[in-house]
Amino acid sequence: MSPPAVTQQAQDILEAYLSQKGLRRTEERRHILQAIYEELSHFDADTLHRHLTQKGLRISRATVYNTLDLLVECGLVKRYHFSEGPTLYERSLGRRQHDHLLCLDCGDIHEFCDPQLGPIIEGVAQLFQMRPTRHELIIYAHCTKTHCPNRTKNPTFATK
Amino acid sequence: MSPPAVTQQAQDILEAYLSQKGLRRTEERRHILQAIYEELSHFDADTLHRHLTQKGLRISRATVYNTLDLLVECGLVKRYHFSEGPTLYERSLGRRQHDHLLCLDCGDIHEFCDPQLGPIIEGVAQLFQMRPTRHELIIYAHCTKTHCPNRTKNPTFATK
DNA sequence: GTTCCTGCAAAGAGTTTGCATTGTG
DNA sequence: CACAATGCAAACTCTTTGCAGGAAC
């Protein structure tokens, strides 16, 4: 599915969720959802806020936080807790569930899917008589390429 | 190895690390290391600080944070970033590397070791030409026991 | 018109930093 | 006695909250 089509589908899902819950369809919510689906990935709330401001949209930080909560609730956005920094978000519609590998040298975030992970998680949860709802696997790693093009960027996730 | 013996070994390692780096052996560092090795697990900085205060030790929050950094640096303590809350710490000497399963109903933290995980991580890192240094796998799950004894406790990790 | 949502600014949690004082080597 | 470590408080980052005004239904 093309990016605009996914965005449209996301908007439709949001609308359905809002009317079902008796909540309101506001410009702000549409704008935020669009930015997330067409322009950003692995962003934090403040980056999203600045992005919207630069586009000339006057949306407050509070609304950004509120709307992110809403979008996570209705499943259109996923929330991640990597090391120290702020909470990061990602669009989730039309994307396979995946995990993350963080480069300790440049802060780059790589995504991967490993089909072996699901059974492991199920097995562990069963051992404790628990029903798993979600998981986060984060691998922290260094680049082995001698001339990694990212080496120049500022490292993140470095110490904590 | 018995708990006091592990603590002693940890103190020895700390001393060695300090002299090697030209740093100072202080009462505070010894007290903090001892509390971590003998009295606490999955604690945050503030819990550790209150714990020390209750024992009659007057150690400042700043020193607690500094010392935790130091202990993580020299490998005696592990740092974890679970969902929203504060950073958690754990003693690491004499313990196998393990991952965590968090109960969404009561906030309990279970530990598990899965030998299949290592190869998966190696494989993923190799795919990206990266050298993995550490990882965090967190499984969030609900209890399936109808009368979970923990159900009464305050849930943590519930929403974010 | 009612209720939800927004924007603003203040508060809050967790952590870091600056600086004078203390204490180790 | 030099310089690292401590204690204290203020600053800082990220996020939440309270409340008045404004927009959706």
Side-chain angles (χ1 to χ4, degrees):
Chain A
M1 197 160 14
S2 63
V6 175
T7 307
Q8 188 52 56
Q9 196 191 346
Q11 295 286 5
D12 294 346
I13 290 172
L14 177 58
E15 303 247 320
Y17 182 81
L18 293 174
S19 31
Q20 178 213 323
K21 292 261 179 179
L23 304 173
R24 287 166 191 178
R25 285 176 262 156
T26 66
E27 279 297 301
E28 289 84 357
R29 288 173 176 169
R30 266 189 291 272
H31 284 310
I32 289 172
L33 185 58
Q34 169 157 13
I36 292 173
Y37 268 73
E38 304 202 333
E39 294 143 25
L40 297 168
S41 80
H42 297 122
F43 59 94
D44 61 37
D46 199 57
T47 300
L48 171 54
H49 180 246
R50 282 198 312 275
H51 178 83
L52 294 165
T53 303
Q54 275 172 15
K55 285 174 62 175
L57 299 167
R58 311 182 123 270
I59 297 178
S60 73
R61 224 175 293 271
T63 298
V64 168
Y65 278 103
N66 284 340
T67 304
L68 284 171
D69 283 351
L70 182 77
L71 295 175
V72 170
E73 244 173 70
C74 71
L76 289 170
V77 168
K78 281 224 183 324
R79 187 171 358 225
Y80 294 106
H81 303 278
F82 297 156
S83 58
E84 84 294 16
T87 303
L88 298 188
Y89 298 85
E90 242 187 344
R91 70 184 179 87
S92 60
L93 189 67
R95 308 211 54 202
R96 276 210 299 180
Q97 120 76 38
H98 59 266
D99 290 287
H100 297 94
L101 183 152
L102 307 189
C103 181
L104 292 162
D105 299 315
C106 66
D108 265 11
I109 301 175
H110 300 284
E111 301 179 354
F112 65 90
C113 291
D114 196 308
Q116 300 172 76
L117 215 51
I120 291 182
I121 287 163
E122 289 295 334
V124 168
Q126 210 163 51
L127 202 65
F128 289 99
Q129 299 185 46
M130 309 274 284
R131 180 173 44 79
T133 60
R134 63 196 167 93
H135 75 269
E136 286 183 6
L137 170 58
I138 305 162
I139 303 175
Y140 298 89
H142 287 288
C143 191
T144 53
K145 302 171 214 151
T146 22
H147 298 296
C148 173
N150 295 324
R151 194 60 59 84
T152 47
K153 294 193 213 163
N154 271 343
T156 324
F157 316 116
T159 42
K160 300 190 176 172
Chain B
M1 197 160 14
S2 63
V6 175
T7 307
Q8 188 50 56
Q9 196 190 345
Q11 296 285 6
D12 294 347
I13 291 172
L14 176 59
E15 302 248 319
Y17 182 81
L18 292 173
S19 31
Q20 178 212 323
K21 292 260 178 179
L23 303 172
R24 288 167 189 179
R25 284 177 262 155
T26 65
E27 281 296 302
E28 289 83 357
R29 288 173 176 169
R30 265 189 292 273
H31 284 309
I32 290 172
L33 186 58
Q34 170 158 11
I36 293 173
Y37 268 73
E38 305 202 334
E39 294 143 25
L40 297 167
S41 81
H42 297 121
F43 59 94
D44 61 37
D46 199 57
T47 300
L48 171 54
H49 179 246
R50 281 200 311 277
H51 178 84
L52 293 165
T53 303
Q54 275 173 16
K55 284 173 63 173
L57 298 167
R58 312 183 122 270
I59 298 179
S60 73
R61 224 175 294 271
T63 298
V64 168
Y65 278 102
N66 284 340
T67 305
L68 284 170
D69 284 351
L70 181 77
L71 295 176
V72 169
E73 244 173 69
C74 72
L76 289 170
V77 168
K78 281 222 182 328
R79 180 161 16 215
Y80 294 105
H81 304 279
F82 297 155
S83 57
E84 75 316 357
T87 303
L88 298 189
Y89 299 86
E90 243 187 344
R91 71 185 177 86
S92 60
L93 189 68
R95 307 213 53 203
R96 276 210 299 180
Q97 120 76 37
H98 59 267
D99 290 285
H100 297 94
L101 183 153
L102 308 188
C103 181
L104 291 163
D105 299 314
C106 65
D108 265 13
I109 301 175
H110 300 283
E111 301 180 351
F112 65 90
C113 290
D114 196 309
Q116 301 172 75
L117 214 52
I120 290 182
I121 286 163
E122 290 295 334
V124 168
Q126 208 162 53
L127 201 66
F128 289 99
Q129 300 186 44
M130 310 275 285
R131 181 172 43 78
T133 60
R134 62 196 168 95
H135 74 270
E136 288 183 5
L137 171 58
I138 305 162
I139 303 175
Y140 298 90
H142 286 288
C143 190
T144 55
K145 301 172 215 152
T146 23
H147 298 295
C148 173
N150 296 323
R151 195 62 59 83
T152 47
K153 294 192 213 163
N154 271 344
T156 324
F157 316 116
T159 43
K160 299 186 180 173

